[in-house]
Amino acid sequence: MAHTKKSEIVARQLMAQNINAFVIRLSPAVHGAGDMGFTRTVIERAKKSHRAEYFGLGTHAWSAVHRLDAAHLFYLVTMYGLEHPTTNERVFNAVAEESITTAAIARTISRKLNVPLKAKYNPLSFGDTAMLYLINCPTSSQLTRQILGWVPVQPDLLTDISSSRY
């Protein structure tokens, strides 16, 4: 559990005490109106540097979910917990898109901002945002969809980046 968030550790401790707790793992790219996370950070960096960048071959991949789809999942998990207080299924992934490469994200930003696209090979050149470019976390929500019937309906990440919200 070295990379497990403290909130998940606490939830699992509560579960071990037979307390009706659940874990919802959010994608690194939770996007949509009001986004202040990874997506906004990468776009703001491109605006300041006048270029859209990705690391290496751009094959590092993020999973993504729209904020409204994630909110709907929180509701579904709450209802599921009330209906199935003794269930063994307690960990759900909020993932609408399992794997979007950083190169695809950078290409979309490049088109949106009309700035050049550039591959960079030194992670230190990304400064304090390096970890955003080095994350590789394709993730599945198959179990979440199967158990809860969750179906994301909001725009995907690349469509959302292309919108005027960013």
Side-chain angles (χ1 to χ4, degrees), residues 27-30 35-46 53-56 58-63 100-103 105-106 109 123-137 157:
S27 297
V30 179
D35 170 15
M36 298 305 288
F38 284 1
T39 306
R40 165 94 40 214
T41 301
V42 171
I43 292 169
E44 291 302 318
R45 179 178 169 85
E53 302 169 329
Y54 59 91
F55 176 72
T59 56
H60 289 83
W62 295 357
S63 60
I100 307 156
T101 65
T102 54
I105 294 166
I109 293 169
L124 298 177
S125 67
F126 290 100
D128 61 355
T129 61
M131 71 140 202
L132 301 179
Y133 296 89
L134 299 175
I135 289 175
N136 193 37
C137 58
L157 176 63

Side-chain angles (χ1 to χ4, degrees), residues 69-85:
D69 286 326
H72 184 234
L73 179 59
F74 275 84
Y75 168 79
L76 291 175
V77 169
T78 301
M79 293 297 102
Y80 179 76
L82 292 173
E83 295 169 4
H84 303 90

